[in-house]
Amino acid sequence: MKTAIQPLFKWTGSKQRMLTQYAPYFFPKQEVTRFLDLFAGGLTNSLWVYENYPQAEYVLNDFNGELTQLYEVVASDTDGVVATWRECVSKWLQLGKEERKAYYYELRDIYCLEYESHNSTYLSGLLMFMMQVNFNGMWKAYKKCNERYSTPPGTCTQGVKFFSEEKVYRVAEFLKQATILTGDFASVEYQPGDWLYADPPYRDSTVLYQGGFTEEDQVRLANYLTSSGCMFSYSNKDILDGFYDRHFPGCSIIEMGAKYTAGRGTSTIDVKEVLVTNYESVGTGVLPI
């Protein structure tokens, strides 16, 4: 099961592979008028909700300012971003595998080291392209690259069918009607009747989240959600220490199996995840589409 509107790029931690398991539990019976994604990331869940509630209001937040700027510029200057992206795709398709790696690093150097000489539309086009062909959808930000996006390239084997302008424009239509914020989740202001969704970095994650995300932050997030008075759903990994029973009393804690890709996708690791909700779900009813 996949969202009908596909995200712009692969994203580590995306729930695309989990949607079939989520479907019976994720959508509330209550009508959705405003959806707040506190850790927007690659947008999978927001796009899923949008497909079912296209008239709702959407608030997308992430601590990663480069990512949120990309979304803002895709919304405000879609044609300009696509023009740069299209140039990258055109050249990419003319190159062999090793040449593609060299070209990727050329683009990365421009984005990381020469960004002050280029406008945000051009940089957003480069970033969107690189994130589509990078290694495993990961976000790396190395010190030698000014701590800007600097993930290495991936397999470098993408063909013509891999790239889709239509996908960019469909996501852009969603972003145009969303409010895009940059900051800590606790800075996002909710209203009565909102549906909050939180997919924070996993509690034992070895991937560095921009700004850091500690166990104290995990507790702070749980308190933010449970004290909001709003409907909320929350995703995380289960490390079997009773955290969710302690910090989400009275909520539904649904355990699910997941597979994490190791290395370059040649092996997988079986893990347990949880989906925590505080509302009655629609179950196997009309939603999701």
Side-chain angles (χ1 to χ4, degrees), residues 25-54:
Y25 312 104
F26 188 67
F27 285 88
K29 279 192 172 181
Q30 183 175 325
E31 182 69 15
V32 176
T33 58
R34 193 165 183 261
F35 180 76
L36 283 62
D37 193 339
L38 303 176
F39 300 82
L43 300 178
T44 288
N45 289 69
S46 287
L47 290 170
W48 198 26
V49 176
Y50 174 64
E51 291 168 14
N52 290 280
Y53 295 99

Side-chain angles (χ1 to χ4, degrees), residues 163-234:
F163 302 100
S164 169
E165 283 190 27
E166 179 186 2
K167 176 169 66 178
V168 179
Y169 280 99
R170 293 189 73 186
V171 174
E173 285 305 306
F174 164 64
L175 293 173
K176 288 178 192 297
Q177 76 174 63
T179 299
I180 302 171
L181 305 176
T182 306
D184 183 78
F185 66 84
S187 66
V188 180
E189 298 181 359
Y190 46 76
Q191 303 170 6
D194 285 351
W195 177 14
L196 313 180
Y197 176 58
D199 182 26
Y202 289 153
R203 291 181 56 225
D204 66 346
S205 175
T206 58
V207 177
L208 178 63
Y209 180 68
Q210 278 203 334
F213 207 80
T214 66
E215 188 68 3
E216 289 72 22
D217 291 319
Q218 299 282 1
V219 173
R220 189 166 57 91
L221 173 59
N223 293 337
Y224 171 91
L225 293 171
T226 56
S227 65
S228 68
C230 298
M231 298 185 295
F232 70 79
S233 44
Y234 162 94

